[in-house]
């Protein structure tokens, strides 16, 4: 369990980290270059953070939220002088830039709202004091995210243990330490299962087109010696049909009140396969990923990304330029296809609307 004695979180290892705030600079591991190169992008401005989010230097719903919070802190630090109205205007401009980066993961807007709230709540203070408050808030968001992941890992392990031992878990995309401030959501559960000996292996979907599974999830698992193998996305049905998958476990970018869940493109197909073959299908996500303002998945905005991501693999063209391509980055898995949603406050079962409202009441 995530009890502070974790040696398998990058953060604890101290050598590799997803993001780090050091001397008023945000350092981000460049996830576009992994697994071949471990390099860091250093951001000193809000524009740099916005570009890093848009270009997928940093990705994964919780990590995007944490990076954006630091982006707001950088917008505050950039401002010179003591005029409070101008300062607030400048920070709000930064928030607007950040909010235009990626539309689907609600954690981005959740983190920006928290930063806005912190600024509004401290309006009476001097500019320098508000700056300090904003830095502190971003740091708190980061720390809290790590703690939440440990709790999700623990809660998920308890549930998945009930499925038996020597579990073979299939995951899609990357919901690991790289997608959060450390440890991970779906991969946090897998880390916990591995520590407690209930994991046999992880089946890693490569996750076309950006290859978050093959490049990032596999990289995390390899470093921690967690057994895994990579498959291309179209192989998942084969393994399920042979009874070789005990559960599918993925993260989320936004969860509607009725349990409909936006996650990496391909998740919907996996959930349908899992239903067909009677394989339990779990989502692991912090409550900050639940958008209680949204009734159903129909209202979740889906990001369409540059066609180049489909046209090319690692910079090499695989499709002639004249051929049309479309690149939706996420799909919506209906709540009906989801066995349960694992959160830091406990596991949510259907009926989702009733039980999500209940967990939010309990939370506050
Ligand atoms: O486009 P990405 O790489 O940001 O998409 C990431 C995912 O879909 C993850 O599964 C999700 O954000 C959960 S990360 C804990």
């Amino acid at each position: 369990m995530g009890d502070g004695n974790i040696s398998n979180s990058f953060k604890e290892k101290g050598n590799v980290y997803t993001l780090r705030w050091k001397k008023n600079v945000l350092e981000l591991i460049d996830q576009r270059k992994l697994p071949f190169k471990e390099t860091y992008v250093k951001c000193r401005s809000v524009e740099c953070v916005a570009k890093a989010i848009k270009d997928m230097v940093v990705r994964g719903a919780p990590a995007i939220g944490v990076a954006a919070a630091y982006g707001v802190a950088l917008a505050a630090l950039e401002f010179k002088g003591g005029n409070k109205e101008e300062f607030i205007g400048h920070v709000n401009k930064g928030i607007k830039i950040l909010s235009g980066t990626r539309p689907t993961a609600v954690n981005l807007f959740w983190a920006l709202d928290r930063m806005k709230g912190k600024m509004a709540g401290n309006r009476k203070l001097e500019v320098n004091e508000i700056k300090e408050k904003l830095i502190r808030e971003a740091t708190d968001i980061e720390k809290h995210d790590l703690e939440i992941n440990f709790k999700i890992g623990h809660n998920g392990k308890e549930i998945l243990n009930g499925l038996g031992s020597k579990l073979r878990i299939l995951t899609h995309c990357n919901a690991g330490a790289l997608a959060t401030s450390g440890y991970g959501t779906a991969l946090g559960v897998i880390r916990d299962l591995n520590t407690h000996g209930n994991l046999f292996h992880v089946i890693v979907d490569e996750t076309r087109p950006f290859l978050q599974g093959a490049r990032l999830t596999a990289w995390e698992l390899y470093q921690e010696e967690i057994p895994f193998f990579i498959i291309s996305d179209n192989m998942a049905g084969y393994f399920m049909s042979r009874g070789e998958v005990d559960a599918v476990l993925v993260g989320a970018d936004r969860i509607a009140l009725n349990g409909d869940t936006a996650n990496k493109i391909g998740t919907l197909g996996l959930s349908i396969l899992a239903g067909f073959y009677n394989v339990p299908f779990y989502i692991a996500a912090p409550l900050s990923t639940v958008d209680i303002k949204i009734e159903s998945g129909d209202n979740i905005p889906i990001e369409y990304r540059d066609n180049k991501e489909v046209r090319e693999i690692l910079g090499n063209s695989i499709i002639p330029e004249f051929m049309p391509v479309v690149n939706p980055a996420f799909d919506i898995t209906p709540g009906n296809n989801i066995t349960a949603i694992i959160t830091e406050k406990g596991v949510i079962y259907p009926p989702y609307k009733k039980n999500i409202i209940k967990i939010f009441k309990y939370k506050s």
Side-chain angles (χ1 to χ4, degrees), residues 31 53 56 58-64 102 104-105 107 145 149 171-180 184-187 207 210 212 215-216 250-254 262-265 267 284-286 289 303 305 309 329-330:
Q31 300 197 27
I53 294 173
M56 311 272 276
V58 61
R59 28 93 15 227
I64 291 171
R102 297 195 71 189
T104 305
N107 308 60
D145 181 55
N149 290 337
T171 192
H172 189 66
C173 196
N174 172 267
L178 289 167
T180 59
T185 55
L187 275 200
T207 320
F210 205 72
Q212 288 94 330
R215 295 190 306 105
L216 309 177
V250 295
D253 284 81
R254 195 185 296 224
N263 191 49
K264 182 49 56 197
I265 193 80
T267 305
T289 303
E303 175 185 14
R305 292 189 59 82
E309 290 178 358
F330 299 95

Side-chain angles (χ1 to χ4, degrees), residues 102-270:
R102 297 195 71 189
T104 305
V106 75
N107 308 60
L108 169 68
F109 306 99
W110 172 88
L112 293 176
D113 281 349
R114 257 187 73 163
M115 297 301 282
K116 245 190 258 172
K118 188 49 65 176
M119 188 161 70
N122 290 286
R123 255 190 117 92
K124 292 207 175 92
L125 300 181
E126 295 299 317
V127 166
N128 278 342
E129 292 170 315
I130 304 176
K131 285 183 184 177
E132 285 305 318
K133 294 275 180 200
L134 289 175
I135 294 169
R136 173 69 62 84
E137 186 70 354
T139 312
D140 282 354
I141 289 174
E142 182 193 350
K143 275 196 196 139
H144 196 209
D145 181 55
L146 189 60
E147 286 159 19
I148 283 172
N149 290 337
F150 291 151
K151 287 183 184 152
I152 291 174
H154 174 73
N155 293 342
K157 178 204 71 195
E158 300 284 293
I159 290 301
L160 288 169
N161 266 345
L163 300 176
S165 57
K166 298 201 170 170
L167 295 173
R168 298 154 302 175
I169 312 258
L170 190 146
T171 192
H172 189 66
C173 196
N174 172 267
L178 289 167
T180 59
S181 54
Y183 204 62
T185 55
L187 275 200
V189 175
I190 285 167
R191 287 187 158 96
D192 250 59
L193 281 170
N194 187 54
T195 309
H196 289 83
N198 295 329
L199 183 76
F200 186 61
H201 61 219
V202 186
I203 303 174
V204 179
D205 254 5
E206 72 170 347
T207 320
R208 273 282 285 152
F210 205 72
L211 307 175
Q212 288 94 330
R215 295 190 306 105
L216 309 177
T217 297
W219 184 73
E220 288 195 34
L221 295 173
Y222 179 79
Q223 292 195 58
E224 291 172 26
E225 297 175 14
I226 297 175
F228 72 93
F229 59 88
I230 302 165
I231 59 169
S232 63
D233 299 336
N234 51 0
M235 295 175 188
Y238 172 80
F239 288 98
M240 288 193 212
S241 73
R242 293 164 60 96
E244 292 175 16
V245 179
D246 298 305
V248 177
L249 176 62
V250 295
D253 284 81
R254 195 185 296 224
I255 302 170
L257 206 49
N258 69 349
D260 290 358
T261 295
N263 191 49
K264 182 49 56 197
I265 193 80
T267 305
L268 167 64
L270 274 181

